[in-house]
Amino acid sequence: MNVTELKKLNKEPVIALVSAIASVCLVAVVLGIIFAPRITEGWKVAGMFVGTYTGGTPNLTAIATGVDCSRETLAAANAADYVVSTPLMVAMFAAPAFFKASKKWNKLWPYSFKPEELDDGETEPLMSDKKWAIKDIAWLLTIGFGVAFVTTMIAQRIFPDTFWKAGRLLMVTTVSICLAQLKPVKKLRGNLDLGLFISLCFLATIGFAVDLKQFIGSAFLMTLYVFFMLIGCTLLHFLICRLFKIKYEYVLLSMVGCIVDGPTASLTAAGGNWKSLINVGLIMGVIAGACGNYVGIFVSYAVKAICGL
């Protein structure tokens, strides 16, 4: 996460991103009060779903580790997320073409970019050939594993046993963001590509671990939680952005950046031929992913406190 790139965001994408994150948190807390007492480790699940809808599946698993969630609950949560959110992801990829062609939509939501405004921008594909050296990759891996090792040692010593894993997660996120602002770290090439590759390997591993038979039998309430959460936060997000007259391109990219990740938001912009928004989508997704760990831990403990669990 390069903080200086925040300068590329004007008021509208910032409002859209804040709206998306706030909508997820608010709906998760409200539904958490209803569902958490009825679901095994429900207060943990509330934060996990905030993580997955502000930074994707990696955030869900990170928060699950932070709140010391059981493997069974983690598997059920991932299965519920996969089943419910996959159709929404397909719809979001198709949305640019639908928005452009639908007269009813453009009448309902008249705020958008002009075609010429979308043509000027970065056109280099995310997964195109890049120049980097093995030294860059070695340093990136060393920094990543080093941060995880050091923050784990510190967290075990300064936090109580009931909170040290959550504290470690917050420390990993904070230290990583701080290190990313150092000039020598900024010069390392291949960071986005390496991160995306590891993330895809992780997602494939999680996908293989999902047992749909077990899911169908034991995670019905969890699936309802995800279903109502997605509907609620999507409607609330659209309502807020419509009131603030945000261009629908920003609204969609903020959703994709939160529900999936930054590279996918960039691919959505590229697929819609929104060339000037490719980098904006990436930045929005990275910011959402960084915020996801903080807000996810907060929602977990907020739901726990409200429900007295």
Side-chain angles (χ1 to χ4, degrees):
M1 180 177 178
N2 187 351
V3 174
T4 59
E5 290 188 341
L6 295 176
K7 297 177 182 177
K8 297 180 181 179
L9 300 182
N10 57 35
K11 183 176 71 173
E12 286 195 49
V14 170
I15 293 175
L17 188 58
V18 171
S19 168
I21 296 173
S23 297
V24 169
C25 293
L26 180 61
V27 173
V29 170
V30 172
L31 292 177
I33 296 171
I34 300 171
F35 284 97
R38 297 172 173 83
I39 299 174
T40 303
E41 299 183 299
W43 66 274
K44 300 178 181 180
V45 170
M48 289 158 60
F49 286 148
V50 169
T52 196
Y53 298 130
T54 52
T57 303
N59 279 46
L60 181 150
T61 308
I63 293 168
T65 303
V67 296
D68 202 17
C69 174
S70 68
R71 294 177 63 88
E72 293 76 16
T73 300
L74 175 59
N78 272 299
D81 175 39
Y82 270 62
V83 169
V84 176
S85 64
T86 298
L88 178 63
M89 290 167 59
V90 174
M92 288 190 297
F93 282 125
F98 169 78
F99 289 160
K100 184 178 180 180
S102 175
K103 293 182 179 179
K104 290 184 178 179
W105 169 260
N106 285 280
K107 185 177 180 180
L108 174 67
W109 204 297
Y111 316 110
S112 64
F113 283 94
K114 297 177 180 179
E116 58 270 19
E117 294 177 314
L118 295 172
D119 285 337
D120 183 24
E122 300 271 348
T123 58
E124 183 183 33
L126 277 176
M127 300 183 189
S128 63
D129 294 337
K130 307 283 178 64
K131 288 185 178 181
W132 48 263
I134 192 64
K135 180 179 67 174
D136 296 316
I137 303 303
W139 270 112
L140 289 167
L141 291 173
T142 300
I143 293 170
F145 288 120
V147 168
F149 177 75
V150 172
T151 53
T152 298
M153 290 182 60
I154 296 174
Q156 286 177 319
R157 286 166 171 77
I158 67 174
F159 293 117
D161 292 341
T162 56
F163 187 76
W164 81 266
K165 289 186 177 180
R168 175 186 61 179
L169 174 63
L170 299 178
M171 288 181 65
V172 167
T173 307
T174 304
V175 172
S176 298
I177 292 174
C178 292
L179 288 177
Q181 310 318 307
L182 301 177
K183 287 186 178 180
V185 178
K186 287 182 180 180
K187 291 180 181 179
L188 295 175
R189 297 168 295 178
N191 56 347
L192 178 62
D193 304 273
L194 179 64
L196 181 58
F197 174 74
I198 292 176
S199 179
L200 292 174
C201 291
F202 165 79
L203 291 174
T205 304
I206 289 293
F208 284 125
V210 172
D211 186 347
L212 288 180
K213 288 183 179 179
Q214 181 186 22
F215 155 72
I216 292 172
S218 63
F220 178 70
L221 281 177
M222 205 175 291
T223 306
L224 283 180
Y225 189 167
V226 178
F227 178 74
F228 288 126
M229 182 173 169
L230 275 177
I231 292 177
C233 66
T234 299
L235 291 176
L236 181 58
H237 177 48
F238 270 78
L239 176 62
I240 293 172
C241 290
R242 183 63 178 79
L243 291 174
F244 280 93
K245 301 179 180 180
I246 307 298
K247 295 181 178 65
Y248 67 69
E249 291 89 350
Y250 288 138
V251 179
L252 179 63
L253 292 181
S254 63
M255 284 186 61
V256 178
C258 284
I259 294 176
V260 194
D261 55 26
T264 307
S266 293
L267 292 174
T268 302
N273 207 28
W274 302 343
K275 296 178 182 178
S276 63
L277 301 181
I278 291 176
N279 276 343
V280 173
L282 177 63
I283 296 168
M284 293 172 80
V286 170
I287 295 172
C291 293
N293 287 338
Y294 298 103
V295 295
I297 292 294
F298 169 78
V299 167
S300 281
Y301 283 94
V303 171
K304 181 181 180 182
I306 294 171
C307 297
L309 300 174

